DNA sequence: CATGCGCGTTTCGCCAAGCGGAACATGCGT
DNA sequence: ACGCATGTTCCGCTTGGCGAAACGCGCATG
């Protein structure tokens, strides 16, 4: 594509990104005149792109000095991207180790819009396996990922989540808040959460929360297997291993 | 501006940034269909913006899974911005302390395109003071900032810079490479560089390099004063203090 | 103090490119 | 094998992105 002109490129977008790059890479605030001179574009064009990037929050306009610099939206998404990229990077070796040990699918998920969002999945090398998909959303209350996160939330936040209607996913889905709260307290003690056919028939999962440096649950990892491959002892062993892995990931995150 | 429509905003740019935000904030790779659904835009429009952002390097397109994720150009400028922002933030208190102690102007500069670029300046509280401007470019060989950086460059890089024509800024500008090399070696020993009326008539400056964690000079700080306010003892004292400040800034940078 | 210049902002007419719907291509699931 | 969802290509339309010119403002200079 570098030697072939892409007919779908929207030229104003391309040029505005050049303006953003110039401002972000310059060590100091940039004037409209500097943008015009260095990118060799008409000053009304510079003016429009600077206004657009500022309106979108990617730049800020210092009205006193008539200079532009990087804005909060750019920094926010840069930080989001860095955090997520780093979380995945730190978690992956642990997930691979868990798959190697148990030969079951291991998932990394985040809480997003009051649900669990699957961020990364490393699949077991078996024909019969629990198969989530990256990008899928599932409820908090009926997944091991979700329950692990709920267990570590501050009381007020957890109560808010559990106050919402709790969907029946299977006949075994827990929807009684008191029962759930009791289970979550137990999970907090154990260091891992479990769900048995609460989200998908035939599936058992065990999950553990990944915490930030102040103990807030930012993600969770889980291991999923068909129920018959998860006798009580295996579940407890997997739970302990997930808790240890989640703890290591949390420590690595905090060490930055 | 939030309750008033800005007529200069370029709509495609604004919308494309929304696409970039969506992808950067999503914890996993995003499909064209997801962008279309979540931003409620026609799929050909999604397609165009995704192609444009990818062409610009802000996103990458995983052709196997037909998913988009954050690309190298976005990460590069995010990193550049973070680094510069952090450098300024770490340096500022040290610069303020130096101004407080000597009551002369203190500058932070970077090497940029073979010149020194002034990034931040804290001015002395005196009528007669040396007045640079943020954004100004000056030669390496005739400024304390530049000489401090040159002193710490690897031999090959320093030789390349000194091989270029060395402009006469004042009658005292050094242009003989051997003399400069000898002075730079001395600066390396002292921990600071000086220039006396080599860049501006009447001005004396002393500067020290800020190094990264592998010892490469990424920036420099300097103090500028009218020559008569800089007797030999003051110069030496300022030099030692600048060296100490630069060293502390370097350590803070490395501690991340 | 007046003038000129540089910079940023506003206006205006032009035209081409951005837009979006439709059609097409592909791959996957049933 | 068929239907559906997703991604890509095509096409005609219209409107908004463009850039030159004009205007406003502030600063430097004589």
């Amino acid at each position: 594509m570098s030697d072939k002109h892409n007919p779908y490129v929207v030229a104003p977008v391309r040029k505005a990104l050049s303006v953003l790059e110039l401002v972000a890479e310059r060590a100091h605030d940039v004037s409209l005149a500097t943008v015009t001179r260095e990118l060799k574009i008409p000053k009304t064009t510079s003016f429009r792109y600077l206004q657009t990037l500022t309106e979108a929050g990617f730049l800020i306009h210092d009205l006193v000095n008539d200079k532009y610099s990087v804005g909060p939206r750019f920094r926010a998404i840069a930080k989001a991207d860095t955090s997520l990229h780093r979380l995945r990077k730190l978690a992956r070796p642990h997930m691979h180790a868990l798959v190697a040990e148990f030969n079951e699918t291991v998932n990394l998920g985040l809480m997003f819009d009051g649900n669990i969002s699957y961020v990364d999945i490393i699949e077991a090398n078996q024909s019969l396996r629990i198969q989530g998909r990256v990008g899928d959303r599932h409820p908090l209350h009926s997944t091991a990922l979700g329950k692990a996160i709920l267990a570590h939330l501050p009381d007020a936040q957890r109560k808010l989540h559990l106050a919402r209607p709790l969907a029946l996913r299977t006949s075994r889905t827990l929807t009684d808040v008191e029962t759930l709260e009791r289970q979550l307290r137990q999970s907090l003690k154990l260091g891992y959460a479990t769900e048995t056919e609460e989200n998908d028939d035939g599936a058992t999962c065990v999950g553990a929360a990944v915490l930030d440096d102040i103990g807030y649950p930012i993600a969770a990892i889980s291991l999923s297997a068909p129920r018959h491959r998860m006798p009580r002892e295996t579940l407890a062993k997997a739970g302990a291993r997930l808790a240890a892995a989640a703890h290591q990931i949390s420590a690595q995150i905090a060490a930055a």
Side-chain angles (χ1 to χ4, degrees), chain A:
Chain A
M1 203 158 288
S2 57
D3 65 341
K4 186 176 61 125
H5 180 61
N6 184 342
Y8 305 111
V9 165
V10 179
V13 174
R14 189 68 201 271
K15 288 185 280 186
L17 292 174
S18 299
V19 173
L20 177 59
E21 286 178 329
L22 176 68
V23 177
E25 283 176 330
R26 197 51 54 92
H28 49 78
D29 297 7
V30 174
S31 67
L32 184 153
T34 299
V35 172
T36 299
R37 184 167 53 250
E38 298 204 20
L39 297 185
K40 295 181 174 56
I41 58 179
K43 62 183 175 176
T44 29
T45 306
S46 297
F47 180 74
R48 284 196 190 90
Y49 294 149
L50 289 168
Q51 290 289 304
T52 307
L53 290 162
T54 302
E55 183 97 347
F58 276 65
L59 297 181
I60 53 179
H61 184 191
D62 174 1
L63 293 163
V64 174
N65 298 309
D66 249 331
K67 296 288 174 64
Y68 294 83
S69 58
V70 172
R73 279 306 290 150
F74 179 83
R75 290 206 173 117
I77 67 174
K79 189 174 177 181
D81 173 59
T82 300
S83 300
L84 293 167
H85 187 254
R86 192 156 169 278
L87 172 64
R88 285 168 77 176
K89 198 171 174 179
L90 290 174
R92 267 216 153 223
H94 298 278
M95 292 167 75
H96 275 291
L98 287 159
V99 171
E101 183 175 352
F102 293 94
N103 198 14
E104 301 291 0
T105 297
V106 174
N107 319 280
L108 172 66
L110 304 177
M111 186 168 71
F112 192 90
D113 278 339
N115 287 295
I116 269 297
S117 177
Y118 285 78
V119 164
D120 210 358
I121 299 175
I122 302 181
E123 287 170 8
N125 182 25
Q126 303 205 55
S127 302
L128 176 67
R129 61 182 182 258
I130 306 306
Q131 187 119 350
R133 284 183 306 173
V134 169
D136 280 356
R137 306 283 180 86
H138 287 268
L140 296 175
H141 68 287
S142 57
T143 54
L145 291 172
K147 289 167 83 173
I149 288 178
L150 282 169
H152 284 271
L153 284 178
D155 286 349
Q157 286 185 36
R158 191 177 54 260
K159 282 173 168 39
L160 279 172
H161 285 294
L162 296 179
R164 292 172 178 174
L166 304 180
L168 270 171
R169 298 275 297 193
T170 69
S171 60
R172 291 182 58 105
T173 306
L174 300 172
T175 56
D176 175 56
V177 171
E178 282 187 29
T179 306
L180 272 164
E181 287 276 23
R182 190 161 47 248
Q183 274 203 9
L184 297 180
R185 281 196 290 275
Q186 178 74 356
S187 300
L188 201 51
K189 285 180 182 175
L190 290 170
Y192 61 88
T194 65
E195 63 89 358
T196 302
E197 293 188 283
E198 293 162 47
N199 199 60
D200 298 290
D201 283 320
T204 294
C205 300
V206 53
V210 174
L211 311 180
D212 69 9
D213 57 349
I214 57 169
Y216 189 86
I218 54 170
I221 51 174
S222 72
L223 181 141
S224 307
R227 194 166 59 79
H228 68 275
R229 292 211 299 257
M230 267 298 192
R232 192 188 224 92
E233 303 79 31
T234 311
L235 189 76
K237 185 180 175 187
R241 302 286 286 104
L242 274 154
H247 187 77
Q248 284 179 30
I249 298 167
S250 304
Q252 285 170 304
I253 283 168

